Amino acid sequence: MTEFTATGTKEQVLGFVTDVCASLMALPLQRLETEVKVLEAEGGSTMHPSIAEHLFHRYGLRGVGLALVSPPALDQVEPEQVRDYAASGFTQQNCVLVLTSEPPADFDLALPPGRLLPVPIDVPLATAPWTFESEGPEVSVSFGLVAQEPAEREAALTVLRIALERAEDELRHQRGWLYDVDFQIVGPSDDAIACFRADPPAAHACDVRDGLLRILRDLADRGPTSEELAADREAAHQHLQDPRGLSESLSECAAAHLRGRQIVDVSARLALRDALTAEDCRSVLRRVETTLVVGMPADTELAGVVPPVRSNDSADVVEGTSFGRSHLAGFRFGVPRGTRAIIGERGITVTDPEGPNTVLWDDVVGLAYEQDGESLDVLSYDGGHVPFDPVWFKDGHRAQALIEQYVPPHLRFIDRTDPSETSEAGGHPR
């Protein structure tokens, strides 16, 4: 969701809202090139990198999984695309105005009527538990929640807060294994994901992972204690009744409306919280084991780890035109003997002594060219990819032309990522 916020006098806030609506209806598209440069310079992510990694590994390069990547093709955005997006998304039926005081009777949002847009449904790649190698130093654990109803969402918040308190007490104060640990809930209510992240030193990464899993499994098996529930109930009352939290509560109600969920005000939330039991908290964690995903730092030994490491390489081999390794590929670029590219109607396979690596055309979400304009990467929505450079193969430029024949122009872009920031290095297909 897009959110514009302001504080001030009634006149200042209403003036801000009016100005925002006017700008959305008459976007200064002559600034598009400059704003693209600003976004490229910012290079930011929509959420914490550890959580974004979990969404990527769960959903791939689609929907919420795109939170991991900075927009790769900003320089290809056209003014018409921006105008069409604004016309469909910024409408009266697709927005909610939240104010902490009564607006004038004649106040109106200067937006076109439009319609309430449906919330996209993101399909997970798989549900079996697995471990992935993280790009950063943090340990992270995510799992699915059972939190479709308001009472279940309140139970989820409660048990996750209690899990956080246990982790801070045991893993930080008692063990000294970490400095910070936190959690966040992401995704729609019918497929909500909870993600914990912690920052231990490398020597205690496995200890913290095991500690987090032990705490979550104990809460899933036995639920919180009566003392924990009572303490959290008191803290929840203080937080929800604090006048400073009014704007936050109203924003949550607005988001619920846009997502088609039941709106629950503060008094209703407090009533739900007072009625919670240990069994309610256990119930929202019943998907922990079947939906568990663990992220571990790159310098952690992952051999034999449970849950196992998931590979994105595909053992499928397509049929099509075959291109053998060029004579200089091994000497100059380290391409192994026997490496071969196969390009056909179903997709592309590059096979070497380690086995085949395949991306099917139906799964392609991008064709990323290096800035030199030669080498490229065929990207699959599930995180798999096939690097390709025409100099690696005999008749390599004809092979590249075949790839481009199967990937439409709107999926091609120049990857402007700084090579020093990428995790993979080397000049061969692996």
Side-chain angles (χ1 to χ4, degrees), residues 332-335 370 375 387 389 392 419 422-430:
R332 292 182 59 189
F333 305 106
V335 178
E370 295 295 331
S375 56
D389 193 314
W392 295 341
T422 60
S423 60
E424 295 188 22
H428 56 81
R430 292 283 171 172

Side-chain angles (χ1 to χ4, degrees), residues 102-120:
E102 194 72 23
D106 60 348
F107 183 75
D108 186 34
L109 289 177
L111 294 174
R115 66 185 181 91
L116 180 61
L117 299 179
V119 177

Side-chain angles (χ1 to χ4, degrees), residues 2-4 14 16-27 83 85-98 106-115 258:
T2 301
E3 186 173 342
F4 300 94
L14 294 179
F16 171 81
V17 173
T18 300
D19 290 344
V20 167
C21 292
S23 297
L24 290 173
M25 292 301 94
L27 292 170
R83 188 181 296 111
Y85 181 86
S88 64
F90 299 120
T91 65
Q92 290 188 13
Q93 296 300 317
N94 199 50
C95 78
V96 177
L97 176 62
V98 175
D106 60 348
F107 183 75
D108 186 34
L109 289 177
L111 294 174
R115 66 185 181 91
L258 291 175

